Amino acid sequence: MQQAMKKRWISLYVENDVGVLAKISGLFSGKSYNLKSLTVGETEDPTVSRMTISLMGDDKTFEQIKKQLNRSVEVIKVLDFTELPIHKKEILFIKLHSLKKDEQEEIFRSAAVFGVSVSDYDKSSVILESVKTESENDDILKFYKKYYLSRMEAVRGGSVAIESVSKSER
């Protein structure tokens, strides 16, 4: 019987050293896991980095991965956010170019509706910035692709997540 694949969120505190990212990502690829996103940043302690990882996986393999991570010398702490209330956001930039004046005005209006910031623009281009959930950014991308696919460039940063203090997802 095949186990159900589901979306997983894991956060790791790791030593901030050369090669740690490669070693950790190697554990996932060794189990044939495709990471949906992986974000790494220094914490309040410059010797420690925090990784936020999003992936699809079944319970059995995911438990094996967590055990391997906990055994890794470079890993300080493993947090499984899959079933916990968390706050998570990702950054998305969309650059739209070769725009006419009326298209640019429409983009400014749609950005306001989506709650997206206009970070830069000139007479024929606009850069939008969105810091929202992955699914909200999916919706924003879908909208702009519908009208501007051949004149757009999108770049996404992986999600970052932290456990809720109120213990109820917002």
Side-chain angles (χ1 to χ4, degrees), residues 51-69:
M51 295 182 175
T52 304
I53 302 169
S54 167
L55 57 123
M56 294 292 290
D58 63 70
D59 291 338
K60 184 179 178 183
T61 309
F62 189 61
E63 287 304 315
Q64 290 174 344
I65 290 266
K66 286 193 300 185
K67 285 177 185 170
Q68 279 186 280
L69 288 169

Side-chain angles (χ1 to χ4, degrees), residues 131-144:
V131 179
K132 298 192 176 290
T133 66
E134 183 181 348
S135 63
E136 289 170 320
N137 281 341
D138 286 343
D139 292 342
I140 291 165
L141 262 176
K142 185 177 177 183
F143 174 81
Y144 287 107

Side-chain angles (χ1 to χ4, degrees), residues 40-165:
V40 184
E42 198 174 89
T43 65
E44 64 283 355
D45 177 349
T47 66
V48 176
S49 290
R50 185 164 175 167
M51 295 182 175
T52 304
I53 302 169
S54 167
L55 57 123
M56 294 292 290
D58 63 70
D59 291 338
K60 184 179 178 183
T61 309
F62 189 61
E63 287 304 315
Q64 290 174 344
I65 290 266
K66 286 193 300 185
K67 285 177 185 170
Q68 279 186 280
L69 288 169
N70 275 309
R71 285 195 300 266
S72 177
V73 174
E74 298 85 358
V75 175
I76 299 162
K77 187 175 184 180
V78 177
L79 301 169
D80 180 358
F81 283 163
T82 304
E83 302 296 334
L84 298 176
I86 58 176
H87 294 271
K88 60 182 178 284
K89 300 284 186 204
E90 74 167 10
I91 190 164
L92 164 69
F93 285 106
I94 300 173
K95 184 190 294 183
L96 303 158
H97 57 86
S98 306
L99 303 170
K100 297 178 182 122
K101 185 174 174 55
D102 63 322
E103 290 176 317
Q104 197 171 43
E105 289 169 0
E106 179 55 36
I107 288 167
F108 290 154
R109 284 192 292 276
S110 63
V113 169
F114 281 118
V116 172
S117 301
V118 175
S119 5
D120 193 14
Y121 67 95
D122 66 11
K123 63 182 179 154
S124 65
S125 300
V126 176
I127 296 178
L128 302 175
E129 178 181 334
S130 175
V131 179
K132 298 192 176 290
T133 66
E134 183 181 348
S135 63
E136 289 170 320
N137 281 341
D138 286 343
D139 292 342
I140 291 165
L141 262 176
K142 185 177 177 183
F143 174 81
Y144 287 107
K145 280 180 180 179
K146 184 176 178 180
Y147 300 103
Y148 305 102
L149 181 60
S150 66
R151 298 179 287 156
M152 77 178 275
E153 177 183 346
V155 79
R156 295 173 97 155
S159 293
V160 293
I162 193 164
E163 190 173 354
S164 296
V165 293

Side-chain angles (χ1 to χ4, degrees), residues 15-52:
E15 293 175 6
N16 189 4
D17 289 328
V18 174
V20 173
L21 173 60
K23 185 172 182 181
I24 299 302
S25 60
L27 282 175
F28 287 93
S29 65
K31 293 287 183 186
S32 298
Y33 262 116
N34 185 22
L35 302 180
K36 289 188 61 73
S37 75
L38 185 148
T39 305
V40 184
E42 198 174 89
T43 65
E44 64 283 355
D45 177 349
T47 66
V48 176
S49 290
R50 185 164 175 167
M51 295 182 175
T52 304

